Amino acid sequence: MLNRSLSVVAALVSLFAGAAPAAVAADAGSGPADFRTAVGAPGQARVAAAVLDLDGPGREPAVYGDDARYDTASIVKVDILAAMLLHARDHRRDLTARESAEAEVMIRESDNAAATALWRAIGEAPGLESANRRLGLVATEGGPGGLWGLTRTTAADQIRLLRAVFGTGPTPLDAASRSRIATLMTEISAEQSWGVSAAADAGWALKNGWLMRTATGRWDINSIGRVTAGGHHYLVAVLSDGSASMPDGVNLVERAVRTAVAESAAR
């Protein structure tokens, strides 16, 4: 189990703000080098974050760091569930009892076998990408074959996915599907409740991802979700790779989420 990372960037304020996406360009934030310095990214580690204030007037996310594609690892499980719910609705049916059980453990416990079953059910990468076109994602590529964890995405695209679940505008997901995903993201098992929750002073909903790349021994660590702070609701996505260990990556992600939302608030 992992301890929550605890360092706060002293120069930043603690309230939050941002802007909202559809399929539009992201608002300028900090450049890659500036953001890496601000969050103390060590060595080979890369990190990017995107923040959206659901209660703000903007229509674009504030993006910090290098918004290139990163491996999703297990954050893709939210996308898989959204695609599965769209697939079921297209066929005028509810999820089966087995699919429902798989969806629950896939999100709450990050169960990989359940994710593989639902990945196959949606048609693997082509099915995910078809659903994502409907959901407004523009920069996410499904992983090869059964390797759903090697799906590639950007922080800004993850905000687009989160907005389809938590936003107030039109979305291909019906109200029941949105509620289902959102509720499961509030029921994450205790040992996995790190990540974007570090920026919350009230409620949160999240999904984390972690993966050690065998070729390098370095870690992909990601976190996406909604946080409530200062009376506002924020969608946040933080993606990283190149950390020397999982705890290092978790600490980096939590520093990044605090920094990104604080910088957004100061605008």
Side-chain angles (χ1 to χ4, degrees):
M1 306 305 171
L2 297 169
N3 293 327
R4 304 276 302 266
S5 88
L6 312 159
S7 54
V8 181
V9 178
L12 301 173
V13 297
S14 60
L15 297 178
F16 316 105
V24 293
D27 191 12
S30 298
D34 291 342
F35 191 61
R36 288 188 79 255
T37 298
V39 301
Q44 302 175 32
R46 294 190 309 156
V47 63
V51 181
L52 161 65
D53 181 357
L54 288 175
D55 303 308
R59 298 294 303 170
E60 301 174 16
V63 176
Y64 302 92
D66 181 7
D67 198 37
R69 288 188 175 99
Y70 292 74
D71 299 329
T72 58
S74 285
I75 62 168
V76 76
K77 292 169 181 174
V78 175
D79 205 359
I80 292 171
L81 179 52
M84 187 69 225
L85 290 166
L86 284 176
H87 176 80
R89 196 183 70 176
D90 289 346
H91 289 82
R92 292 181 165 80
R93 68 175 181 86
D94 294 327
L95 297 189
T96 65
R98 180 170 183 171
E99 288 167 346
S100 292
E102 289 168 339
E104 290 177 6
V105 297
M106 178 177 72
I107 302 298
R108 290 174 179 156
E109 306 294 334
S110 206
D111 186 90
N112 290 338
T116 297
L118 294 179
W119 176 251
R120 290 171 178 160
I122 66 171
E124 299 185 340
L128 185 80
E129 291 167 3
S130 177
N132 282 347
R133 285 190 290 272
R134 297 165 65 182
L135 293 167
L137 280 69
V138 298
T140 299
E141 297 178 348
L147 301 178
W148 43 262
L150 296 186
T151 296
R152 302 279 284 173
T153 194
T154 67
D157 233 23
Q158 288 302 293
I159 296 293
R160 297 181 181 107
L161 173 62
L162 291 170
R163 190 168 185 182
V165 176
F166 295 104
T168 57
T171 170
L173 294 169
D174 60 24
S177 295
R178 294 170 75 175
S179 177
R180 190 173 202 163
I181 298 170
T183 298
L184 287 172
M185 291 175 70
T186 68
E187 297 172 348
I188 298 299
S189 61
E191 67 271 17
Q192 295 177 21
S193 60
W194 45 268
V196 298
S197 55
D201 63 19
W204 53 263
L206 63 78
K207 183 71 190 80
N208 296 322
W210 57 97
L211 173 68
M212 188 184 75
R213 299 308 306 267
T214 55
T216 64
R218 293 190 170 270
W219 287 79
D220 301 330
I221 305 291
N222 307 318
S223 187
I224 62 171
R226 182 187 65 186
V227 300
T228 302
H232 280 230
H233 302 89
Y234 301 89
L235 304 182
V236 187
V238 181
L239 309 179
S240 76
D241 62 21
S243 289
S245 69
M246 186 172 175
D248 286 349
V250 172
N251 288 339
L252 173 61
V253 163
E254 293 194 339
R255 291 196 303 272
V257 67
R258 290 188 182 107
T259 299
V261 293
E263 285 195 2
S264 294
R267 288 164 162 256

